[in-house]
Amino acid sequence: MAFHQPDGVAPDYAASGLRAGEDGCVYYGLQALALPPKEQAVLHLLLTRSPLSVSKDDFAEQVWGGRSMSDESLTRCIHKIRHLLRTLPGAGNVTSLYGRGYRLTAVSAASTPNQRLLSAAQAPSPISEAFLYARHLTLQRTPAALAQAEQILRTTIAAAPDYAAARIALAECLGGGSSWGVNPQPELLEEGLQHLDAAERLAPVTVGLNSARAALLDRAWRFREAEAACMRALRDNPDDADSNFHYGWHLLAVGRSEDARTALRAAVQLHPYAVLMRITLARAHAHAGYPDEALREAEATCALAPDNEMAELYLTALQAWRQPTAEVVESAWKLALSRQALTLAPAILSYALARTGDTEGALDVIGICTRCGAGNACTNAMHAASLLALGRADDAMVLLQAAAVARCSLLPIALHDPANAALKQHPAWPALLSAIFGSQA
């Protein structure tokens, strides 16, 4: 995939917002603006001086070359520039300063809905299409989809290293794989944070940057830093669905389930067709002690996306917790044996079997996953609820302690799951909490 920096553009141009090129042109994202020479030169001067103002004398000297410049000609240029900027989300505006001239002022990215996608789309079509498809794959959370998304994004970054949106998307992909037990290695979270650092150097105001950082920090158990990043994301982009979602995830991880419901409701309202956001809202209802509401949300999500195995898997888990039946076990078997099975599907199967009294079947599934190399410390720990249902609290604690040593990203949320509530009576519980949350436990 070939991608080249336009000739003469300053090397620090970003994938969103305006940048002044060394060739005298102004770029929005990676595209030169189509402006007549005078308007191009006026905007270029405003941009290089921003946030300072530019006087009429400066325009006359630097744009008109010292030749006569009428107020009317400058006003015409400013009018055309303002008209163009209104069509470019987040590009800013030109304000008049009485007696001083004009100034280019920034506009908050939060003022424009879907600013993140609009900004990312400023790249050439092959690059932006790769970004959009990789994000779609990341949200599926299956091992195959996450692997494909990671490959696409790494290829995109190699071809377009200055495309900040791809670096943010790769960080989100690595965080998603970690939280679903696909790639739980802590070093991948660190790599994701390094990509976010690079993205911040390229485009410090890119929507999604702070929320992606918050997500990775949460998965690395750096909860105080994650909360600060969430606050920055919501301050800058309160109407961004991802920012609200990641804040909800953070609140679930630290045990603030009621607050998580509020944040996740906001995320779902902003992005009502996002399956991952809706099932996380259902989880928040369950954690906060509203099982019926959790079931209704999960059922509604399945109705909205009837072929989505992620939605079906979480509904099956809730049914196994609240209404364990043979039909629930059948659904769990189907999801565990699917060609696109999610990594957490075997744990839901063992839980459904345990809840319906099939001790031998549940232990067989757990044994295959934990002793035969089919899982990892993170996915193994998700069988703790099954072992608790079988009255094997000590065995459940062993799996959770191993996950803590491996710094499993999903472990903080799993510990707050009502299916694991009985573990709070285990003598090793305080030490486990301290290992994860430290002084925040």
Side-chain angles (χ1 to χ4, degrees):
M1 183 184 297
F3 178 78
H4 303 287
Q5 180 172 311
D7 293 336
V9 182
D12 61 344
Y13 73 83
S16 64
L18 297 175
R19 292 291 182 271
E22 294 176 352
D23 58 354
C25 293
V26 175
Y27 290 79
Y28 180 66
L30 305 177
Q31 301 292 330
L33 296 183
L35 281 169
K38 277 285 191 295
E39 284 79 4
Q40 188 86 244
V42 167
L43 180 55
H44 193 279
L45 182 57
L46 285 165
L47 185 57
T48 55
R49 292 279 186 89
S50 180
L52 301 177
S53 60
V54 181
S55 69
K56 291 182 180 180
D57 289 343
D58 286 341
F59 283 122
E61 178 65 28
Q62 299 194 39
V63 177
W64 272 259
R67 296 186 295 275
S68 175
M69 179 198 77
S70 67
D71 287 347
E72 182 182 355
S73 60
L74 178 58
T75 301
R76 259 198 318 270
C77 283
I78 296 295
H79 175 75
K80 290 180 181 178
I81 290 169
R82 284 171 171 163
H83 179 75
L84 175 64
L85 293 182
R86 282 196 292 269
T87 70
L88 304 177
N93 191 23
V94 179
T95 56
S96 303
L97 301 173
Y98 183 75
R100 292 165 55 194
Y102 296 93
R103 179 174 64 194
L104 182 65
T105 57
V107 175
S108 171
S111 64
T112 304
N114 300 316
Q115 174 66 22
R116 175 172 178 167
L117 295 181
L118 290 170
S119 297
Q122 300 309 311
S125 182
I127 300 293
S128 58
E129 289 296 330
F131 160 82
L132 292 170
Y133 183 54
R135 282 208 84 210
H136 167 73
L137 290 170
T138 296
L139 292 173
Q140 294 179 25
R141 292 298 199 262
T142 66
L146 286 165
Q148 188 179 2
E150 182 179 342
Q151 181 181 12
I152 290 171
L153 290 167
R154 290 190 186 281
T155 301
T156 301
I157 291 168
D162 293 330
Y163 185 37
R167 292 185 179 273
I168 295 171
L170 178 58
E172 291 178 325
C173 178
L174 296 175
S178 176
S179 64
W180 281 70
V182 178
N183 293 308
Q185 301 95 325
E187 57 268 25
L188 291 177
L189 298 178
E190 185 57 38
E191 182 194 346
L193 289 168
Q194 291 170 4
H195 280 292
L196 294 179
D197 290 341
E200 188 168 15
R201 289 191 295 271
L202 291 165
V205 296
T206 303
V207 178
L209 181 60
N210 280 316
S211 63
R213 188 179 298 281
L216 289 184
L217 290 170
D218 266 325
R219 285 152 180 80
W221 300 359
R222 293 160 61 178
F223 301 111
R224 286 196 177 93
E225 294 173 76
E227 173 118 11
C230 284
M231 292 299 98
R232 291 194 298 271
L234 290 170
R235 177 199 64 202
D236 296 338
N237 302 284
D239 295 327
D240 177 58
D242 287 332
S243 296
N244 283 275
F245 168 70
H246 289 310
Y247 186 44
W249 203 99
H250 166 78
L251 293 167
L252 276 178
V254 299
R256 293 167 56 189
S257 53
E258 281 289 356
D259 292 335
R261 294 171 76 210
T262 301
L264 291 164
R265 280 195 181 111
V268 169
Q269 185 175 9
L270 290 163
H271 197 344
Y273 299 101
V275 169
L276 181 59
M277 293 182 186
R278 296 193 66 144
I279 63 170
T280 308
L281 173 58
R283 179 187 282 274
H285 291 320
H287 284 210
Y290 303 94
D292 293 339
E293 199 164 345
L295 277 168
R296 283 195 295 270
E297 183 63 44
E299 288 166 350
T301 306
C302 285
L304 183 72
D307 297 321
N308 189 289
E309 292 192 9
M310 182 165 51
E312 190 175 350
L313 183 66
Y314 193 66
L315 175 60
T316 301
L318 282 173
Q319 291 171 333
W321 174 50
R322 296 295 296 170
Q323 308 161 352
T325 64
E327 289 75 16
V328 172
V329 172
E330 183 179 352
S331 176
W333 271 115
K334 183 192 78 172
L335 292 166
L337 297 175
S338 168
R339 292 180 60 189
Q340 296 295 323
L342 291 149
T343 51
L344 303 184
I348 304 304
L349 172 59
S350 70
Y351 184 63
L353 291 167
R355 291 283 291 154
T356 52
D358 188 350
T359 300
E360 182 178 356
L363 291 176
D364 282 346
V365 172
I366 295 170
I368 290 170
C369 293
T370 61
R371 292 195 294 273
C372 301
N376 55 56
C378 186
T379 55
N380 290 348
M382 299 306 109
H383 293 282
S386 310
L387 291 167
L388 281 172
L390 297 174
R392 296 173 177 241
D394 288 341
D395 293 337
M397 181 56 72
V398 168
L399 293 183
L400 295 172
Q401 288 170 329
V405 171
R407 301 187 69 82
C408 168
S409 294
L410 191 56
L411 188 56
I413 285 184
L415 292 187
H416 297 300
D417 194 301
N420 288 324
L423 275 172
K424 295 177 182 179
Q425 310 305 317
H426 196 281
W429 176 257
L432 181 61
L433 281 188
S434 180
I436 298 168
F437 298 103
S439 61
Q440 302 174 77

